[in-house]
Amino acid sequence: MNIKLLPLQKHGDDRGSLIALEEGRNVPFTVRRVYYMFETKEGVRRGFHAHKNLKQLVIAVRGSCRFLLDDGNEQIELFLDNPAQGLLLEAMVWREMYDFSEDCVLMVLADSLYDESDYVRDKAEFLAMTKPANQL
Ligand code: TYD
């Protein structure tokens, strides 16, 4: 699957912790956008899309949530609860996020500005796009 878990170097001392995100160093793409999800209500499941081209790095900077990832061939469930770990999602990975802790702040760095035409929001369409042409 087109994903990676990237360890992020933590600069910790007796005052606390600090992590720096730097384009081309520990973030493997040009950062054009940052957004974050917070105050997610209990029981909410969100996402339900893939991107045709977008690359994203997702970090649970506080709290935790679960991811269901699907590339059309395999499904992976991941638990994100570590601000020193980034989930790199490349193109054409269907994602659903759920089980957000009340305090969860999920921060996302992306390599493009928001563009609705890059979204695939229909799961059946996504699955059809991931199949080789001779299986359609
Ligand atoms: P949405 O795509 O529904 O979030 P998700 O699929 O991750 O659950 O986004 C919620 C709203 O925020 C929707 O109206 C689009 C808007 N939005 C932006 O304006 N800019 C952004 O960068 C993102 C990610 C969403």
Side-chain angles (χ1 to χ4, degrees), residues 21 81 102:
L21 301 172
D81 69 342
E102 209 180 313

Side-chain angles (χ1 to χ4, degrees), residues 59-65 80-83 101 103-107:
I59 302 164
V61 291
R62 186 174 176 88
S64 62
C65 74
L80 283 201
D81 69 342
N82 181 357
S101 64
D103 61 347
C104 184
V105 181
L106 196 63
M107 184 174 74

Side-chain angles (χ1 to χ4, degrees), residues 1-113:
M1 187 172 302
N2 225 354
I3 65 156
K4 272 186 200 142
L5 282 169
L6 304 182
L8 303 171
Q9 192 193 350
K10 192 149 98 175
H11 304 276
D13 55 34
D14 52 12
R15 297 170 300 169
S17 304
L18 182 154
I19 290 175
L21 301 172
E22 295 180 289
E23 178 180 307
R25 291 191 169 162
N26 56 357
V27 181
F29 52 75
T30 303
V31 180
R32 303 280 317 277
R33 175 166 55 115
V34 178
Y35 64 93
Y36 38 97
M37 280 164 259
F38 58 103
E39 298 176 349
T40 307
K41 302 282 186 293
E42 199 183 337
V44 162
R45 196 170 176 107
R46 62 183 305 170
F48 296 97
H49 63 258
H51 287 281
K52 294 173 196 162
N53 293 301
L54 191 70
K55 290 184 188 171
Q56 295 182 302
L57 185 69
V58 185
I59 302 164
V61 291
R62 186 174 176 88
S64 62
C65 74
R66 291 182 197 281
F67 272 74
L68 174 70
L69 302 171
D70 187 342
D71 68 358
N73 289 309
E74 58 171 333
Q75 290 201 341
I76 295 178
E77 278 184 299
L78 282 178
F79 182 60
L80 283 201
D81 69 342
N82 181 357
Q85 187 179 59
L87 168 62
L88 180 66
L89 296 175
E90 304 224 22
M92 293 304 283
V93 177
W94 183 268
R95 81 282 314 264
E96 296 171 21
M97 294 88 83
Y98 55 102
D99 278 359
F100 287 84
S101 64
E102 209 180 313
D103 61 347
C104 184
V105 181
L106 196 63
M107 184 174 74
V108 185
L109 282 62
D111 75 345
S112 295
L113 302 180

